[in-house]
Amino acid sequence: MSDTAATLTQDRQKLEMAALSAPAVIFTVGMIAFPVVYTIWLGFQTFSSTGKQSFAGLANYSKLVADYEFWHGLWVTIALYVLSLALQLLFGVWLALVLFHAKRLPGVVRSLFISPFMMPPVVAGMMWLVILDPSLGAANYILQALGLPPSDWLASPTWVIPTVALIDSWQWTPYVALIVLGGLQSLPPSVYEAAQIDGASPFKTFQRITLPLLLPTIVTAAILRSVDLLRFFDIIYITTQGGPGNASNTLNIYGFRVGFEFFNIGYASALMLTLTAIVFGAVLAFNRLRGAVAW
Amino acid sequence: MKARMLAAHVALPVLAIAVVNGQARAADFDWMKFKGKTVTFLANNNPVAQALLTYKADFEKLTGMTLKVDGYQEQQMRQRLVTVMNASSDEIDAFMTLPSREGEQFAAAGWYGDLTAMAKNEVAKDYDPNGLSQALLKAATFNGKLTSMPMNIEGPILYYRTDVFKKCGLEAPKTIKDVEAAAEKIKACDSAVTPFVSRGLKPAVAYTFSNMLHNIGGTYIANGKSNLCSTKGKETLETYSRLLRDFGPPGVVNYSFQQISALYRSGRAAMAFESSNELRTVMEGGARLKDTGLLPFPEGEAGQVPTTIGWGMAVSSHSKRPEAAWYFVQWATSPEVQKKMALQGIAPPRPSVAKDPEYRRWIDEEPVRKEWQAALDVLATKGSSEVGYPIVANPESREFIGQAVQDLILKQKPIEQACADADKALDALIAQK
């Protein structure tokens, strides 16, 4: 076959491949790009309470800068994010170590421990709402049985964020543990054998070998949880709807209410795009960190 | 005099022709007209819709139509509706609506189909549109357009424990001050029960707060401005929040109807200011059947102005089958169906149903039902459907009322600041077009 004929065949093959994959590519790009572009466009519109729409330029974004609820929502989002992520990583690593070393019925123990994250967040929210009810819930009953003072839990402006962080951590710590457990199982045994020969204590082994080698896995878990935590919605919506007052009004809850309860879709879009930018920022930061700790 | 005679000579024949025409049309009415069509109904999964949908098969048998039900909890139902309506989609033909909350807004957005002509011309012989509560029909009429047909009548009423009152030497409260005095006495007399409970959850507060505000003689708006910082406004804010803070359950700021009903039903509240619709839930299990008294909320300085609202059934302005949807609306709000629903504890918006012998027998079975009906009669005759600010942005206005109440319950702001902050935000909403 001459060079020209070979080139023509190659070009034809490329064309065929492009034609065959085009529908999937168009569909995927359309599904991702259209909502994003549409939301960006909506962010430049203003909607009256009756749904009448007009072009607003950057008005939604300048409103956002001056909006106390936005800054408060941002603070609540970050506080909830930092607290929940710290709890989930800390207890996730601990739980992974427990599961890794579980000798009796490891399958049963693992299934039992990971069951909370199989539960739909709405069900988890409803369940905790009942448990934490200050009058009828089991949590205060137990506290009082132990001679401790009862708490208002989700109804206290002071305790609502730690309480929501605890509920989310109860549900998602097993997920982090599962990821870390995978990392633990893939660590090279030779390193541990060398440490044992050198007489390293279990704590030193964990501190100097396990933890550094696990860091890329932990950062991966942190990235996955960051995306969810910054968009925190379901459990808050079920348990507090952003209250008491606005003590748990995250950006996501605030944007949702602005859009779907007050029908200001333009401003809600601007809020959500800002939140998306924050999520992207966090993911990029963790990605860089992952690159730095990779081995 | 001349004018009166002219009116008699011209208007009466016109009225007679209209009646004859109406009768002729009613005689032509055929329930099977849209046989084979499908009507999609967006339902709020509350006791009203649950009772109605028990008879779904009856509608399908009567009309030969298929009824597709898209049911959600209240908030989710509104979100679905907003999405569908903003997209001008014809996915939904009929939907449930609360005119006191979203009526102005949905009407201004053009989401309601106009039922005025259909309610006159396209009715079955026994439908009797004039037999529906005139107050609720008026509340559902915007700019002369009838936008929904009433499905029920409801409002907040006071549930109180007769045994606890007797034990503490108390009479049924007649005034708001009596409620507070009773709460004080119950707190000292029986530490096992919460003396008073009502809505504390921010978006839910307006429903019960409005009743107290109107009883005290306050108004939401005066001279085009928000009026919460008026003397009566502040008195209501202070009384409502004090009752919940000093005599309510811990965590009351997260309380809406579910928590209130659960607390009262379990015997842990002496007084509950909650919706008349909750009777069935509160009486579940029968524990409260013999020790509960019911009253419209006791009077304040302006007397008794109970909050009276009702769910309505509307036809979507984007529906491609508005007439078929109207047949469903008509069936759902017909005397026959409303009587069946009434026997399930859904208060009928038709005085004729409320007087029906079978319904009366059901009422007479239990003293608590008699008191419930008596309270509903007061709601029907004296009620106001103003819940929150009578403006297009009514749902948002409820947030700020709730915020002011929560600020006071949680002692986060003094009264002057709480009402001033709320008035400032509400003035901005009132100014919105």
Side-chain angles (χ1 to χ4, degrees):
Chain A
M1 192 186 286
S2 70
D3 283 354
T4 319
T7 312
L8 274 173
T9 311
Q10 274 180 353
D11 285 351
R12 198 176 149 187
Q13 276 177 344
K14 277 183 188 170
L15 255 170
E16 279 174 1
M17 280 167 67
L20 285 170
S21 55
V25 171
I26 291 167
F27 179 77
T28 310
V29 170
M31 288 297 284
I32 295 169
F34 174 74
V36 174
V37 172
Y38 186 58
T39 309
I40 293 171
W41 179 77
L42 284 174
F44 295 119
Q45 308 292 313
T46 186
F47 291 77
S48 71
S49 303
T50 59
K52 288 194 182 75
Q53 181 183 347
S54 54
F55 183 71
L58 290 170
N60 285 326
Y61 292 92
S62 53
K63 180 181 172 184
L64 185 144
V65 174
D67 182 4
Y68 166 79
E69 283 296 334
F70 166 75
W71 292 108
H72 175 79
L74 184 59
W75 184 89
V76 173
T77 305
I78 291 170
L80 203 49
Y81 166 63
V82 171
L83 189 58
S84 304
L85 190 64
L87 285 172
Q88 287 167 33
L89 292 182
L90 189 71
F91 287 103
V93 171
W94 171 78
L95 185 59
L97 287 168
V98 170
L99 295 176
F100 186 64
H101 291 108
K103 298 288 179 230
R104 285 186 187 172
L105 302 170
V108 176
V109 172
R110 280 176 200 177
S111 304
L112 206 66
F113 273 91
I114 64 167
S115 56
F117 90 84
M118 314 289 269
M119 196 180 275
V122 174
V123 176
M126 292 299 291
M127 186 183 81
W128 281 102
L129 191 63
V130 173
I131 292 172
L132 297 173
D133 184 287
S135 298
L136 303 170
N140 274 354
Y141 178 79
I142 293 167
L143 281 183
Q144 285 171 306
L146 295 171
L148 296 167
S151 169
D152 279 354
W153 302 110
L154 294 160
S156 156
T158 315
W159 288 104
V160 66
I161 290 181
T163 308
V164 171
L166 276 174
I167 297 174
D168 193 70
S169 300
W170 170 84
Q171 180 159 40
W172 291 103
T173 295
Y175 176 69
V176 174
L178 211 59
I179 296 170
V180 177
L181 184 64
L184 272 173
Q185 286 167 337
S186 67
L187 294 185
S190 56
V191 189
Y192 288 95
E193 285 161 14
Q196 207 174 12
I197 291 165
D198 290 345
S201 68
F203 180 72
K204 279 277 178 215
T205 308
F206 174 75
Q207 188 191 15
R208 297 289 172 88
I209 297 172
T210 310
L211 203 55
L213 290 178
L214 270 182
L215 264 183
T217 313
I218 294 172
V219 173
T220 304
I223 293 173
L224 292 171
R225 288 307 301 138
S226 295
V227 175
D228 272 351
L229 282 167
L230 287 166
R231 298 177 305 154
F232 210 143
F233 182 82
D234 28 32
I235 285 177
I236 297 183
Y237 189 69
I238 293 295
T239 55
T240 69
Q241 296 194 11
N246 56 2
S248 60
N249 206 19
T250 58
L251 272 187
N252 214 1
I253 293 276
Y254 181 47
F256 173 82
R257 304 196 78 176
V258 167
F260 288 100
E261 288 181 23
F262 311 148
F263 308 145
N264 193 345
I265 303 288
Y267 187 47
S269 301
L271 284 166
M272 289 302 95
L273 281 170
T274 310
L275 178 62
T276 308
I278 292 167
V279 174
F280 268 110
V283 171
L284 282 177
F286 271 114
N287 246 342
R288 287 204 164 187
L289 182 65
R290 191 169 59 169
V293 297
W295 48 274
Chain B
M1 189 68 184
K2 272 186 181 173
R4 202 179 291 172
M5 281 180 70
L6 186 71
H9 281 97
V10 177
L12 284 177
V14 168
L15 190 66
I17 291 165
V19 169
V20 171
N21 270 349
Q23 282 171 348
R25 283 184 189 120
D28 295 341
F29 187 84
D30 176 13
W31 278 111
M32 283 286 179
K33 187 174 173 184
F34 298 104
K35 188 179 174 185
K37 303 263 184 215
T38 297
V39 169
T40 305
F41 169 45
L42 180 66
N44 170 15
N45 193 18
N46 67 1
V48 181
Q50 284 166 9
L52 174 71
L53 292 171
T54 320
Y55 309 104
K56 177 177 177 275
D58 293 356
F59 171 73
E60 292 180 328
K61 195 177 164 195
L62 177 72
T63 61
M65 285 195 262
T66 303
L67 181 66
K68 193 176 150 199
V69 180
D70 205 3
Y72 299 88
Q73 292 301 319
E74 188 171 337
Q75 291 288 2
Q76 286 72 25
M77 179 201 74
R78 283 204 186 89
Q79 286 139 28
R80 169 117 176 88
L81 189 67
V82 171
T83 312
V84 168
M85 290 302 186
N86 272 325
S88 304
S89 165
D90 63 350
E91 265 181 79
I92 288 163
D93 299 304
F95 60 91
M96 284 172 74
T97 183
L98 209 48
S100 57
R101 184 187 187 276
E102 63 243 4
E104 291 263 9
Q105 198 166 28
F106 287 11
W111 292 355
Y112 291 128
D114 188 355
L115 304 183
T116 319
M118 288 192 285
K120 265 187 199 158
N121 305 327
E122 198 68 32
V123 288
K125 196 176 154 195
D126 54 358
Y127 181 57
D128 186 21
N130 294 326
L132 285 156
S133 157
Q134 292 304 303
L136 293 178
L137 284 172
K138 195 178 155 198
T141 304
F142 299 95
N143 296 322
K145 260 173 63 173
L146 179 60
T147 60
S148 63
M149 304 307 283
M151 299 175 78
N152 74 321
I153 186 166
E154 64 173 273
I157 54 175
L158 188 73
Y159 297 73
Y160 69 100
R161 289 276 301 278
T162 48
D163 56 335
V164 176
F165 269 61
K166 195 175 171 188
K167 179 180 153 191
C168 299
L170 290 161
E171 296 287 326
K174 290 191 173 61
T175 65
I176 296 174
K177 284 194 170 64
D178 289 347
V179 171
E180 201 164 355
E184 184 90 58
K185 207 161 177 187
I186 291 165
K187 194 176 180 178
C189 155
D190 187 346
S191 61
V193 293
T194 297
F196 179 85
V197 62
S198 184
R199 296 185 179 196
L201 187 71
K202 201 162 62 167
V205 161
Y207 180 67
T208 39
F209 178 86
S210 300
N211 194 156
M212 190 185 279
L213 177 77
H214 293 139
N215 279 14
I216 285 175
T219 57
Y220 279 121
I221 299 177
N223 302 319
K225 295 278 179 192
S226 176
N227 205 27
L228 283 181
C229 273
S230 63
T231 312
K232 302 277 188 193
K234 283 196 286 191
E235 186 186 335
T236 314
L237 279 172
E238 283 186 310
T239 309
Y240 191 91
S241 57
R242 192 171 56 240
L243 273 167
L244 292 186
R245 188 180 55 237
D246 296 347
F247 307 112
V252 73
V253 286
N254 280 343
Y255 269 55
S256 187
F257 65 94
Q258 301 98 327
Q259 292 79 13
I260 295 169
S261 296
L263 192 76
Y264 186 84
R265 188 179 57 215
S266 68
R268 296 183 66 172
M271 288 183 276
F273 184 26
E274 191 37 70
S275 171
S276 56
N277 263 359
E278 288 300 299
L279 181 77
R280 196 165 65 158
T281 315
V282 163
M283 294 302 155
E284 255 172 31
R288 299 281 73 79
L289 204 57
K290 306 291 178 195
D291 63 16
T292 292
L294 294 172
L295 290 171
F297 194 65
E299 61 183 46
E301 292 141 53
Q304 232 169 13
V305 191
T307 294
T308 309
I309 59 166
W311 279 93
M313 181 85 86
V315 171
S316 163
S317 60
H318 299 301
S319 169
K320 284 200 173 141
R321 299 163 287 273
E323 287 194 338
W326 161 249
Y327 271 46
F328 170 61
V329 170
Q330 188 180 165
W331 169 81
T333 57
S334 64
E336 191 193 339
V337 172
Q338 291 195 326
K339 186 179 131 187
K340 287 179 184 170
M341 286 166 67
L343 295 174
Q344 292 197 41
I346 304 300
R350 288 178 180 272
S352 62
V353 173
K355 286 177 194 145
D356 180 86
E358 195 182 344
Y359 178 67
R360 295 309 312 184
R361 272 198 300 279
W362 180 80
I363 288 289
D364 291 343
E365 277 171 17
E366 294 292 345
V368 75
R369 288 185 192 156
K370 276 188 194 169
E371 290 188 17
W372 180 69
Q373 186 57 49
L376 286 166
D377 290 343
V378 176
L379 263 61
T381 50
K382 292 185 176 178
S384 154
S385 61
E386 188 182 80
V387 181
Y389 282 62
I391 54 173
V392 172
N394 173 284
E396 204 169 350
S397 79
R398 297 180 182 205
E399 286 285 310
F400 296 112
I401 299 166
Q403 182 70 57
V405 168
Q406 286 202 344
D407 285 342
L408 295 170
I409 294 173
L410 298 167
K411 291 189 173 177
Q412 292 193 313
K413 289 177 187 171
I415 177 72
E416 294 297 343
Q417 197 193 336
C419 73
D421 287 353
D423 274 347
K424 189 179 165 194
L426 287 156
D427 280 341
L429 283 188
I430 293 167
Q432 271 179 20
K433 295 291 172 218

